[in-house]
Amino acid sequence: MTIKEQAYAIIDGFTETQLRGFIDLFSKYKPESHTPVYHVVAVVPHEDYTLTVTFRDGDKKLYDMRPLIDGERAFKPYAPLIDINLFMKAHVCGSVAWSDKIDIAPEELYENGIDITEKP
């Protein structure tokens, strides 16, 4: 079943009230009101488990991964990054990734990183 067929199957299961709500929701959609899309163009991993991340707009952020690896915000998928050899393999893929199973959202990096952009 194609994605289009799946979408039609879902919508076909809507009640009339649900369908009207769905149409109403999308009629109010304004692309300019959406959260900006952050696109990573460069990353430099550091041995203190921080990342220097450069975004398409030229902004640079310093992001500390330690809390996600073994701190109070520790998140199990990031546990393997305690291996410094793996951590140092950070690379760009629109965001930052270490493997096909470990990556981090560019929004997280941008919104929670420390701004280190050089100002003219």
Side-chain angles (χ1 to χ4, degrees):
M1 186 180 284
T2 68
I3 292 174
K4 186 175 181 180
E5 290 169 332
Q6 290 173 10
Y8 281 126
I10 292 168
I11 292 171
D12 189 45
F14 280 8
T15 65
E16 185 175 337
T17 303
Q18 289 172 321
L19 190 53
R20 287 178 192 268
F22 182 78
I23 291 168
D24 184 52
L25 174 70
F26 279 92
S27 69
K28 296 174 184 171
Y29 171 74
K30 292 184 174 48
E32 65 275 2
S33 69
H34 268 70
T35 306
V37 176
Y38 303 113
H39 187 84
V40 176
V41 295
V43 63
V44 178
H46 305 284
E47 291 189 355
D48 64 353
Y49 295 96
T50 60
L51 302 168
T52 299
V53 184
T54 306
F55 293 86
R56 180 177 24 208
D57 64 3
D59 285 353
K60 278 189 174 184
K61 302 282 184 158
L62 182 65
Y63 188 85
D64 188 355
M65 286 292 299
R66 288 173 293 200
L68 296 177
I69 295 170
D70 67 355
E72 63 185 50
R73 291 180 58 207
F75 189 52
K76 191 174 183 176
Y78 295 120
L81 297 179
I82 196 71
D83 175 356
I84 194 65
N85 294 317
L86 178 58
F87 182 81
M88 297 301 288
K89 292 180 181 177
H91 61 276
V92 174
C93 64
S95 185
V96 175
W98 291 267
S99 70
D100 61 345
K101 295 182 185 208
I102 306 173
D103 63 4
I104 188 164
E107 295 83 5
E108 170 67 19
L109 297 167
Y110 192 92
E111 294 169 8
N112 294 306
I114 298 167
D115 189 3
I116 58 169
T117 308
E118 294 178 13
K119 309 293 181 201

